[in-house]
Amino acid sequence: MEMETETQSQFQIDLGNLMAFDPLHNFPSPPSSREELVNECLKKGTELVQAISDTLFNLPSTEDVDGPLVKLPPPATRLPREKPLPKPKPPTKWELFAKARGIKNRKKDKIVYDEQTGTWKRRYGYDHANDEDKVPIIDAKITDEPGEDPFAKRRADKKKKIEKQEKNRSQNLKEAAKVGALPSHVQLAATALPITGSQAVPKKFSKEELGNVAGMAATSTASGGKFDKKLPGEKPAKHKGKYRKFLPVVEGKGMVSQEREQTEKVLNKLFSKNSHEMLNVNKAVNMYNVKKEKKWKNKEGKSSPSSSKLKPNKTLKKKSLNKGSSKKGKAK
Amino acid sequence: MLKVKTPKTGKARRELDKRAPKLVETGKKTLILHGTKTSGVLNSVLTQIYHITKENALRFSRKNEDVRPFESGGEASLEFFSLKTDCSMFVYGSHSKKRPDNLVIGRTYDHHIYDLVEVGVENFKPLESFSYDKKLAPKAGSKPFIAFIGEGFDSVEELKHLKEVLLDLFRGEVVENLNLAGVDRAYVCTAVSLNRVFFTHCALQLKRSGTIVPRMELVEVGPSMDFVVRRHRLPNEGLRREAMKTTRDKPKKKEKNVSKDVIEGKIGKVYIPDQKVGEMALPNKAKGVKRERREAKLRHGDGNEYASKKQKEDSE
């Protein structure tokens, strides 16, 4: 809004903001002293404020207890908003259905007559009218099955209704959240996925486990993670370097040669992997004979009073042929 | 599976509703904070700005280290504070050798940085140094008059931006009805040169004049300082367009207790609470009405009335 005052300067006045702007004022450069500058500014400021109040006080005012009230026009200068415009809520499933069918919302009374007790009770809430749970006798219908408990059935139906309503509500909220029009007091939070579903609950790692992960990965490096760059604040690895065991230089008396054992172990492993076809005949025969002897022993020992049921199940474990044959190289 | 979280207390629900985006927005809140190093001048500048915008401002008293508004990574802290305190404007003060007494005034949109203006403060005169009649002191929270003088505000980019930001910072709430008896402050911003703005806060004195319009007089009360514009960052065009969007339609206000009748026309319902005549408080307890006095009079009779009065005068 622009206003012309008696002096020819035009001010831009924004009544809604109580703001005035003088775009034509120019300071004769340079402004002399600080005080003069201040005075000049105050003078000009007074002019501007006077101009605003000229229009302001001439607005139609209503008398109030504290003073004259004036209705301000909306501000002229547009300033940016602080939050985005709220998006309109998408209609819920029921709202769509009601609109399609032409169902109007009827105002309901707070107090309803209860047939059972013959009094007036509230429509919903604690001790409400026409409560289905409080019916003492339920007449049997022809369609009822003989073994069914109608009271339990009613309770189960009610629970199902509540669940269905909850599901519908969360569906409606999800739809609103998709558009971005969630009501301000509602937050949708993702909880854990159900275990009896497509995915199991994701494992929760503890703080120590996460701390050890870097150390575990370090074992894959050639130097066992000794020279890996560490992030600032990362704790030193629990086991630095590689696991190495050196055999003692001097062996004690009676100890089997450890070096020999070491190499044997390695060889056995190698052979066992590659020698599944070889059969150690001696070993197989020995095993068979031992088994037979044990059988004879059992037969003789059956005169003992204990029943077979009480005895622990004896399952003879056969040594795998592979393992037996691994000694083939050595035996020969 | 999504769980619906709703606040359990009414207070929490009301707070969330206050922070929700609205069609027509109420006043913006300002966050005043400072960085690692501040000078004495800057400290008092920040406190005094906090004083004059007391109603809708928050002041952080601790130093905040990683706030660097003009750098791309340094805005995260500010956005977080804006989100948590629901403040859409901030004033960040810092002091360094390169930029002494630095103030960064910024606005946020949807809790992301919208625009920034960096000014240096010079020639600061605090509140205390002004002497004036205390009766004139403006009341807290009153709607101010804002005056901008100087063609620099129209021609120079930075000054235009600064004008907009200062208007946003100081205008307070947008109100429809204003009480004319309550206008008592004015901010005067003068573009002294191409990059310097003289800012001062004055109290208004309404003097009697012949007409309805009173004569205005400005008395400097508040802090006054020079703003030297250093840097500024305008919002990018898309963001600006989005932030300036307004809806044409006003929210429909339902008129309560009013109904239309075909025969009688517009009918209004007026609800009056029950009047408890016996319990009403009388405005002034007239001495003669008191029961004891009445009874005393009845007992002694009317004849003695004069006598008792005379006695009183004598005892004086």
Side-chain angles (χ1 to χ4, degrees):
Chain A
M1 209 169 103
E2 292 190 9
M3 264 290 292
E4 265 194 41
T5 61
E6 291 83 39
T7 64
Q8 264 137 27
S9 50
Q10 270 186 332
F11 299 148
Q12 286 177 9
I13 298 189
D14 179 357
L15 259 189
N17 278 327
L18 292 182
M19 182 189 85
F21 173 39
D22 178 9
L24 297 177
H25 183 82
N26 206 339
F27 266 100
S29 51
S32 9
S33 87
R34 180 93 191 149
E35 266 202 31
E36 279 194 31
L37 177 72
V38 173
N39 285 338
E40 172 88 20
C41 293
L42 283 186
K43 211 176 66 169
K44 288 298 293 182
T46 326
E47 271 179 50
L48 285 181
V49 173
Q50 193 66 51
I52 309 176
S53 42
D54 274 342
T55 20
L56 189 67
F57 280 81
N58 284 324
L59 284 175
S61 70
T62 53
E63 273 300 317
D64 202 51
V65 181
D66 306 316
L69 271 185
V70 154
K71 195 166 150 133
L72 287 176
T77 29
R78 283 208 318 174
L79 290 168
R81 290 175 61 94
E82 56 171 339
K83 293 191 184 116
L85 281 167
K87 296 196 188 73
K89 226 170 56 143
T92 61
K93 269 179 85 179
W94 167 253
E95 279 174 5
L96 287 170
F97 178 76
K99 199 165 172 203
R101 286 292 203 93
I103 302 173
K104 290 261 151 82
N105 194 16
R106 254 179 251 160
K107 196 104 195 248
K108 298 173 186 89
D109 291 326
K110 274 197 202 166
I111 310 283
V112 185
Y113 185 70
D114 182 22
E115 308 276 326
Q116 263 219 308
T117 51
T119 53
W120 289 84
K121 288 193 187 174
R122 65 196 83 180
R123 243 194 79 242
Y124 58 86
Y126 176 72
D127 189 28
H128 63 262
N130 306 323
D131 196 350
E132 278 207 344
D133 295 338
K134 295 218 179 122
V135 171
I137 304 170
I138 303 177
D139 294 331
K141 288 195 281 190
I142 311 170
T143 48
D144 272 350
E145 290 173 27
E148 213 181 333
D149 177 14
F151 296 101
K153 186 162 174 282
R154 280 206 175 171
R155 262 180 276 138
D157 280 341
K158 189 169 183 184
K159 273 221 169 117
K160 266 196 234 152
K161 252 202 259 178
I162 295 172
E163 268 177 32
K164 180 173 178 288
Q165 179 54 30
E166 266 305 309
K167 194 166 71 93
N168 283 348
R169 178 176 172 238
S170 54
Q171 275 297 110
N172 284 330
L173 285 171
K174 260 192 254 178
E175 284 295 308
K178 253 199 268 179
V179 182
L182 208 53
S184 58
H185 52 267
V186 174
Q187 274 178 299
L188 285 182
T191 54
L193 295 165
I195 302 175
T196 59
S198 44
Q199 294 174 37
V201 179
K203 186 189 168 190
K204 294 237 165 168
F205 289 99
S206 72
K207 194 172 164 182
E208 291 147 39
E209 279 180 17
L210 286 174
N212 290 338
V213 161
M216 286 193 265
T219 55
S220 61
T221 53
S223 57
K226 197 168 161 190
F227 301 107
D228 285 346
K229 273 194 199 150
K230 287 226 173 352
L231 289 171
E234 193 181 328
K235 288 196 184 139
K238 278 196 191 147
H239 185 275
K240 286 178 243 195
K242 296 199 265 193
Y243 284 99
R244 290 206 71 179
K245 185 179 177 185
F246 296 104
L247 299 172
V249 174
V250 178
E251 282 171 23
K253 274 188 270 185
M255 270 170 60
V256 186
S257 160
Q258 284 183 324
E259 200 179 331
R260 198 176 182 192
E261 273 188 5
Q262 226 182 23
T263 42
E264 257 182 33
K265 218 166 142 187
V266 175
L267 274 176
N268 286 341
K269 277 196 187 158
L270 282 173
F271 278 123
S272 67
K273 276 193 194 158
N274 300 314
S275 53
H276 44 267
E277 291 166 337
M278 294 178 243
L279 174 66
N280 188 354
V281 181
N282 293 341
K283 186 79 187 191
V285 166
N286 278 343
M287 278 167 69
Y288 181 72
N289 287 338
V290 163
K291 209 171 131 190
K292 250 193 176 174
E293 278 173 35
K294 276 204 176 160
K295 235 185 179 178
W296 291 340
K297 268 191 192 169
N298 274 350
K299 272 194 180 166
E300 284 171 42
K302 257 191 179 176
S303 52
S304 55
S306 57
S307 64
S308 60
K309 275 189 186 171
L310 288 177
K311 280 188 190 165
N313 282 350
K314 278 192 182 175
T315 48
L316 289 167
K317 286 186 185 165
K318 285 187 192 171
K319 281 193 187 173
S320 64
L321 287 173
N322 285 344
K323 218 179 174 184
S325 62
S326 70
K327 296 207 170 172
K328 179 201 169 192
K330 185 196 162 189
K332 280 200 171 160
Chain B
M1 214 159 62
L2 287 173
K3 201 166 83 163
V4 178
K5 273 170 76 173
T6 46
K8 300 296 174 210
T9 54
K11 187 165 184 190
R13 207 176 307 130
R14 272 173 264 137
E15 281 298 315
L16 281 176
D17 279 339
K18 266 194 228 173
R19 296 190 176 197
K22 298 174 204 120
L23 266 181
V24 178
E25 288 194 330
T26 50
K28 294 190 181 182
K29 284 206 270 190
T30 313
L31 179 64
I32 304 179
L33 66 161
H34 58 90
T36 24
K37 197 164 161 207
T38 48
S39 58
V41 168
L42 198 65
N43 264 334
S44 45
V45 168
L46 289 174
T47 35
Q48 302 211 342
I49 293 182
Y50 177 57
H51 274 309
I52 52 183
T53 57
K54 199 58 165 295
E55 292 274 305
N56 41 12
L58 244 82
R59 173 124 161 89
F60 278 0
S61 48
R62 284 191 175 177
K63 67 179 184 186
N64 303 289
E65 281 179 349
D66 25 318
V67 174
R68 283 169 229 289
F70 278 92
E71 282 170 43
S72 59
E75 307 168 333
S77 268
L78 280 172
E79 293 179 358
F80 177 71
F81 292 146
S82 149
L83 182 67
K84 284 293 170 175
T85 57
D86 194 33
C87 289
S88 56
M89 293 202 64
F90 64 87
V91 176
Y92 170 72
S94 67
H95 177 79
S96 68
K97 208 160 159 192
K98 189 172 173 190
R99 293 178 226 274
D101 296 335
N102 204 23
L103 269 185
V104 179
I105 312 175
R107 296 184 283 187
T108 60
Y109 174 74
D110 196 18
H111 304 296
H112 294 299
I113 302 277
Y114 177 75
D115 64 358
L116 304 160
V117 180
E118 185 177 51
V119 291
V121 178
E122 286 178 20
N123 300 326
F124 173 65
K125 278 181 78 181
L127 268 172
E128 294 83 29
S129 65
F130 290 96
S131 51
Y132 52 92
D133 186 11
K134 292 299 173 196
K135 278 191 236 165
L136 295 172
K139 298 233 169 63
S142 53
K143 190 140 172 83
F145 282 93
I146 313 182
F148 290 100
I149 309 165
E151 59 174 15
F153 280 124
D154 226 356
S155 52
V156 184
E157 263 300 319
E158 280 107 345
L159 290 188
K160 257 203 277 188
H161 195 191
L162 183 63
K163 171 170 171 264
E164 200 187 318
V165 172
L166 285 177
L167 180 65
D168 220 348
L169 187 61
F170 289 119
R171 72 167 170 168
E173 266 193 56
V174 179
V175 287
E176 224 184 80
N177 299 321
L178 181 70
N179 186 355
L180 291 178
V183 292
D184 50 3
R185 62 168 85 206
Y187 297 110
V188 180
C189 311
T190 325
V192 174
S193 72
L194 284 177
N195 65 343
R196 191 180 275 261
V197 172
F198 170 66
F199 169 82
T200 181
H201 173 222
C202 310
L204 282 182
Q205 249 192 321
L206 286 81
K207 292 258 171 82
R208 229 176 250 288
S209 79
T211 57
I212 318 169
V213 185
R215 194 164 58 89
M216 295 290 189
E217 252 192 43
L218 293 178
V219 177
E220 256 196 293
V221 300
S224 84
M225 56 194 105
D226 277 1
F227 287 141
V228 178
V229 178
R230 287 183 186 152
R231 296 187 279 184
H232 77 127
R233 194 207 284 182
L234 287 167
N236 47 356
E237 207 33 57
L239 192 59
R240 192 176 165 278
R241 250 180 284 140
E242 205 193 314
M244 291 294 207
K245 262 198 250 179
T246 47
T247 46
R248 207 74 73 71
D249 39 275
K250 257 197 246 177
K252 277 186 248 167
K253 266 200 173 178
K254 209 170 139 195
E255 232 189 331
K256 281 184 160 184
N257 299 324
V258 170
S259 61
K260 269 209 164 100
D261 196 14
V262 185
I263 304 169
E264 293 174 43
K266 204 170 178 185
I267 309 177
K269 273 194 208 170
V270 180
Y271 291 96
I272 309 177
D274 287 337
Q275 270 189 323
K276 298 199 179 81
V277 185
E279 289 170 8
M280 284 209 299
L282 291 168
N284 49 338
K285 277 206 170 168
K287 274 198 195 168
V289 182
K290 279 193 189 170
R291 192 174 55 172
E292 303 88 66
R293 284 234 163 192
R294 245 187 290 144
E295 283 175 8
K297 269 193 204 166
L298 284 169
R299 261 184 259 133
H300 293 287
D302 288 321
N304 273 348
E305 211 183 326
Y306 274 119
S308 54
K309 272 196 173 171
K310 266 194 180 164
Q311 275 181 359
K312 260 200 172 173
E313 278 171 13
D314 282 344
S315 62
E316 268 182 5

